[in-house]
Amino acid sequence: MTAPRGVAARLRELRDAIDRHNHRYYVLDDPEVPDSEYDRLFQELQAIETEHPELVTADSPTQRVGGAPLAAFDEVSHSVPMLSLENALSADALAEFDRRVRERLGRDGQIRYAAEPKLDGLAISLRYERGSLVQAATRGDGSRGENVTQNVRTIASVPLRLLGEGWPRVLEVRGEVFMPRKGFDRLNAGQRAAGDKTFANPRNAAAGSLRQLDPAVTAKRPLAMFCYGLGLVDGHAMRDSHAANMALLKDWGLPVSPELQVVDGLAGCAAYFADIGGRRAELAYDIDGVVFKVDSVADQATLGAVARAPRWAVAQKFPAQEELTVVEGVEFQVGRTGAVTPVARLKPVFVGGVTVSNATLHNMDEVQRKDVRVGDTVFVRRAGDVIPEVVRVLPQHRPKHARVVRLPAHCPVCGSEVSRPEGEAVARCSGGLFCPAQRKEAVKHFASRRALDIEGLGDKLVEQLIDQSLIADPADLFALDVDRLAALERMGQKSAQNLVDALDKSRSTTLARFLYALGILGIGETIATHVAAACGTLEAVMTLKLANLVEIKPSQAQRLQAILAETAEPATAIDTLAAFDGAKWFTHTHALLLAERFATVGDVVAAAPGDVANTPDIKIDGVGDVLAEKLVTFFRQPHNRDVIAKLLESGVHWPDVPVAAVAQQPLAGKTFVLTGTLSASRDVFKERLLALGAKVTGSVSKKTDYVVAGAEAGSKLTKAESLGVPVLDEDGLEALLSGAAGD
Ligand code: I6G
């Protein structure tokens, strides 16, 4: 049945009116009509939609809360990465930021900054297509987040349809979801009354509410949002200033901070920071600082981004909050790499919005420097998300029998010896993967998002698996079956099956991720990518020798032979030596390198200097002598080789990286900038370029070799054209990649 034309027109009228009233009520805080009038319009709309279900659309105000509870959130790839912010923890750090901005832009005068409070909430990306909200996603790791559309639709201040006109065909808006303090207090009072768990602070409450699988629960939570930036914009030239763009969003009905202001130079920033700091307690929501952004969009493009943060924005944090409490004990925690870290157990104290009962003491040098003893009254500090720390002791409150903290001789978890090498601050358990604590951390790392990305394998589950001896190392994960998993605490048949599926999916990975997942000391994600690119195969990595990577110059070899002849016993094993007067460069790494060829000092002294000298034949970006030793030593350990063999037997695999050494990599020395929308996330193309030895940077300069421009490329494309930098489209990039890879 088609509805009469008059009905459709009335329906449009009602939706427009309700959207407008919602906006005035929830965004502008300035309602135009009494609640009774709003209710009447809403009921009329509901009645029409009940009679004409064919007229119901997803962006109707009646459809905010809908949809069945989810089993899990889908993953969403961000077409433009969601960056984080550099922090400035002092006025000096902010001045340094301003100096760098002016230097990079070549400006003497003041920079105009857009300033607004930094909310203590959760970053979110909203996607509007032709004015309707189609997707909302969390930041996740910046490239991929979780699809929380159903939940975000329930936030009253987020429009399901944009107001006005002239919006781009696709508009991605970034902002922060938060819970105002009053709503938080009400929520906790309700939770308490119902005997349910209360939330420690508004941030946790906002995060917990947004990650509900049942949108009906989220709908009851008092969430709000402010937009602070843009993601992908397709089909509309936005304005050339950040503040003007935010004003445009506001015109389209999106909530923008009423505190947003444009200020001039560092002095303007300082005044704004002081003003907001003074009014912090009066604001309706928690903030932890102020964000300053270069207001000119063209200048933002020139400044670009480093790693995960734009160079044109900074978060100046309020000073950390500190409270007094008492150290009730000191325990030692064992981390993934065996580091034994002293942790103070504190009398619980409320600092910066959370109850703190543990604080790190970092290492024994710090314990001694601060002279922290059990029984001491101490200041504890918590700054933002940083782990709380003991700042200083109040010696006047020290009880008579305050106990001195000593490093245990044996690991508190496995009983192995704890050693602290000369000159190192960190003490380590020598148990390696024999130590359950290290095993747990190793498995957690192996499963983590940037490693093998095993969805559903949370920390608690890993702990259970190790404690119940169901696994001893990461390779054992692949032998787990649904029945064994389903028998674990808080696991059912369905989640067990999901985990087995996730394990199966994770078998297919990349060499770089695999190397990172092994958790080799010092080998982070970037270095793992360089190692994979330089070596090409796991076998090549596993057979690396120090001789491939570490240099001993002929002049050093000669001098070393002379010193050894004079000062060392010929029968001394060469791998026990390090540093001599006159050869301070000679480290344990060099001794290990020589041990690949010689057994004793006598053998080294008797050799031709040319045989003692060494020229490395593989250059791995970022791998110096220290990392070279860690890498080579790791793969020499039989238990590490056993775990790797087991992993390969369980079907973990990756595509080959057909490369030998960086110098021979086809794209070595070439710098690329990726811009605009490509058919897959830019990270995918970045990974492929890195694997062939290329560098990928965020900003275009004369040194850029290629700019790869996808759809709707903006200022970077314009800059490339003005500098005469070659521009490739996606097909051009594919051709270059397959040519370079020798396909
Ligand atoms: O995490 C953030 C909070 C607030 C932001 C941010 C912000 O502006 C007020 N702005 C940017 C550009 C980014 N993160 C990346």
Side-chain angles (χ1 to χ4, degrees):
M1 181 184 85
T2 42
R5 216 170 312 129
V7 173
R10 178 64 184 154
L11 187 112
R12 258 197 315 276
E13 234 172 61
L14 286 167
R15 285 182 186 169
D16 285 348
I18 293 169
D19 282 344
R20 210 175 51 245
H21 293 319
N22 266 341
H23 179 242
R24 292 204 67 120
Y25 187 92
Y26 290 107
V27 179
L28 304 181
D29 198 13
D30 179 22
E32 211 175 35
V33 290
D35 290 359
S36 54
E37 169 66 3
Y38 178 90
D39 291 345
R40 198 192 59 69
L41 295 171
F42 201 88
Q43 279 156 16
E44 185 183 342
L45 176 61
Q46 272 179 324
I48 296 179
E49 288 184 348
T50 309
E51 201 166 321
H52 298 282
E54 75 282 3
L55 296 181
V56 177
T57 56
D59 60 8
S60 166
T62 58
Q63 302 301 305
R64 276 200 182 268
V65 190
L70 301 172
F73 296 110
D74 286 340
E75 202 171 78
V76 169
S77 185
H78 297 301
S79 40
V80 176
M82 286 187 79
L83 302 175
S84 29
L85 286 172
E86 183 196 335
N87 283 335
L89 298 176
S90 64
D92 283 353
L94 185 71
E96 176 54 24
F97 166 80
D98 176 62
R99 191 196 60 71
R100 278 199 313 266
V101 165
R102 282 183 290 117
E103 184 181 276
R104 284 215 163 86
L105 294 175
R107 297 271 159 77
D108 286 334
Q110 291 187 334
I111 303 289
R112 278 167 77 84
Y113 290 105
E116 65 182 283
K118 182 163 189 318
L119 290 155
D120 213 0
L122 254 102
I124 204 94
S125 181
L126 306 180
R127 184 179 170 100
Y128 288 88
E129 289 181 9
R130 298 182 202 287
S132 288
L133 177 67
V134 294
Q135 183 175 284
T138 60
R139 185 203 316 256
D141 65 4
S143 309
R144 286 171 300 168
E146 285 178 327
N147 186 339
V148 288
T149 313
Q150 289 216 62
N151 292 348
V152 170
R153 286 172 60 88
T154 71
I155 303 176
S157 56
V158 173
L160 299 182
R161 274 197 319 163
L162 296 178
L163 299 182
E165 52 197 23
W167 358 274
R169 201 180 58 76
V170 177
L171 172 69
E172 278 181 8
V173 184
R174 267 90 201 252
E176 198 93 350
V177 167
F178 61 97
M179 190 175 285
R181 267 197 299 268
K182 265 198 190 139
F184 168 73
D185 291 341
R186 239 183 296 124
L187 170 65
N188 262 357
Q191 296 282 108
R192 228 172 275 121
D196 287 339
K197 177 177 124 320
T198 54
F199 294 96
N201 54 43
R203 204 205 103 83
N204 288 4
S209 302
L210 205 61
R211 298 204 69 259
Q212 287 290 332
L213 292 170
D214 183 355
V217 176
T218 312
K220 292 193 195 117
R221 301 282 171 84
L223 294 174
M225 179 181 181
F226 282 150
C227 301
Y228 60 63
L230 299 171
L232 180 74
V233 177
D234 178 4
H236 185 279
M238 298 293 287
R239 310 254 164 98
D240 58 6
S241 107
H242 175 75
N245 279 331
M246 293 302 105
L248 209 49
L249 296 189
K250 203 168 152 196
D251 288 347
W252 293 332
L254 286 156
V256 172
S257 170
E259 305 290 345
L260 177 70
Q261 270 183 34
V262 176
V263 299
D264 282 321
L266 195 55
C269 293
Y272 184 89
F273 187 72
D275 173 52
I276 291 287
R279 293 193 292 117
R280 187 177 176 187
E282 292 160 26
L283 297 175
Y285 37 80
D286 280 357
I287 61 171
D288 58 5
V290 166
V291 181
F292 296 107
K293 293 176 183 168
V294 171
D295 189 48
S296 153
V297 172
D299 286 348
Q300 289 183 358
T302 306
L303 289 164
V306 265
R308 295 174 193 285
R311 284 208 192 92
W312 41 264
V314 71
Q316 188 179 10
K317 294 293 187 77
F318 293 128
Q321 300 190 2
E322 293 184 1
E323 288 297 338
L324 276 177
T325 188
V326 173
V327 177
E328 294 183 328
V330 170
E331 287 173 14
F332 287 82
Q333 264 176 6
V334 186
R336 171 167 68 85
T337 59
V340 176
T341 306
V343 177
R345 304 291 177 216
L346 305 170
K347 186 162 172 231
V349 60
F350 200 65
V351 194
V354 295
T355 303
V356 170
S357 39
N358 302 311
T360 180
L361 290 163
H362 300 292
N363 55 54
M364 286 309 289
D365 282 352
E366 282 291 290
V367 173
Q368 273 143 20
R369 192 176 64 75
K370 292 175 184 162
D371 190 18
V372 181
R373 302 186 192 183
V374 177
D376 271 343
T377 297
V378 293
F379 271 110
V380 191
R381 173 194 294 162
R382 184 179 166 269
D385 300 336
V386 181
I387 305 170
E389 60 170 353
V390 170
V391 189
R392 68 189 168 87
V393 169
L394 268 73
Q396 64 273 34
H397 292 298
R398 173 166 288 165
K400 255 208 199 113
H401 301 294
R403 184 159 52 81
V404 175
V405 178
R406 294 195 201 289
L407 181 70
H410 294 100
C411 170
V413 180
C414 72
S416 303
E417 244 172 68
V418 168
S419 65
R420 185 175 167 199
E422 268 296 306
E424 280 195 22
V426 179
R428 289 184 200 279
C429 158
S430 58
L433 288 180
F434 167 74
C435 175
Q438 291 185 54
R439 246 184 275 152
K440 283 177 189 172
E441 297 310 312
V443 175
K444 288 177 196 170
H445 173 78
F446 182 83
S448 63
R449 211 168 200 171
R450 293 167 179 276
L452 255 68
D453 192 15
I454 307 175
E455 214 174 294
L457 186 60
D459 290 359
K460 290 271 174 298
L461 196 53
V462 171
E463 282 162 25
Q464 279 193 70
L465 290 168
I466 301 264
D467 288 341
Q468 298 183 22
S469 303
L470 290 174
I471 61 167
D473 60 47
D476 294 337
L477 289 168
F478 295 100
L480 292 169
D481 56 35
V482 174
D483 289 344
R484 226 172 311 168
L485 285 169
L488 294 170
E489 223 176 89
R490 279 191 266 144
M491 285 291 276
Q493 202 71 20
K494 175 130 183 49
S495 33
Q497 182 61 56
N498 286 346
L499 181 54
V500 168
D501 293 346
L503 278 161
D504 205 30
K505 189 166 146 211
S506 74
R507 282 188 169 94
S508 168
T509 184
T510 63
L511 176 56
R513 272 179 179 265
F514 182 78
L515 292 174
Y516 172 64
L518 293 176
I520 307 163
L521 209 58
I523 309 295
E525 227 184 335
T526 308
I527 301 283
T529 311
H530 294 324
V531 176
C535 296
T537 64
L538 178 62
E539 200 200 341
V541 182
M542 291 180 70
T543 48
L544 276 175
K545 291 194 164 135
L546 287 170
N548 297 122
L549 301 165
V550 173
E551 181 173 30
I552 297 180
K553 295 189 185 117
S555 57
Q556 292 177 323
Q558 247 175 356
R559 173 98 191 108
L560 180 69
Q561 283 180 305
I563 295 172
L564 288 177
E566 258 178 45
T567 60
E569 273 296 314
T572 311
I574 189 71
D575 60 1
T576 61
L577 299 181
F580 299 99
D581 269 352
K584 291 240 159 55
W585 59 270
F586 183 76
T587 63
H588 188 60
T589 310
H590 296 99
L592 290 178
L593 156 56
L594 292 178
E596 287 173 353
R597 292 181 207 154
F598 309 101
T600 64
V601 164
D603 296 340
V604 175
V605 171
D611 290 343
V612 178
N614 186 63
T615 309
D617 55 357
I618 300 179
K619 167 89 191 84
I620 308 179
D621 257 5
V623 176
D625 291 1
V626 174
L627 282 190
E629 180 180 332
K630 296 202 155 108
L631 202 59
V632 170
T633 315
F634 179 90
F635 289 106
R636 281 191 190 154
Q637 308 306 312
H639 59 265
N640 291 334
R641 299 182 76 91
D642 289 347
V643 172
I644 291 170
K646 261 171 43 183
L647 284 166
L648 298 180
E649 269 164 36
S650 352
V652 175
H653 65 280
W654 51 84
D656 278 347
V657 188
V659 184
V662 165
Q664 295 152 28
Q665 283 182 249
L667 297 181
K670 299 280 180 231
T671 304
F672 287 72
V673 173
L674 304 174
T675 183
T677 311
L678 301 167
S679 62
S681 107
R682 285 189 214 152
D683 276 357
V684 171
F685 290 99
K686 183 173 169 184
E687 224 171 88
R688 291 173 65 192
L689 283 163
L690 290 179
L692 293 169
K695 265 197 183 151
V696 179
T697 65
S699 51
V700 181
S701 73
K702 272 190 250 157
K703 291 195 185 135
T704 310
D705 291 291
Y706 295 100
V707 167
V708 180
E712 300 305 323
S715 55
K716 287 185 193 172
L717 174 57
T718 318
K719 189 155 179 200
E721 284 165 352
S722 73
L723 293 174
V725 174
V727 176
L728 300 174
D729 60 11
E730 193 171 326
D731 288 345
L733 174 65
E734 284 298 351
L736 187 133
L737 283 170
S738 47
D743 295 351

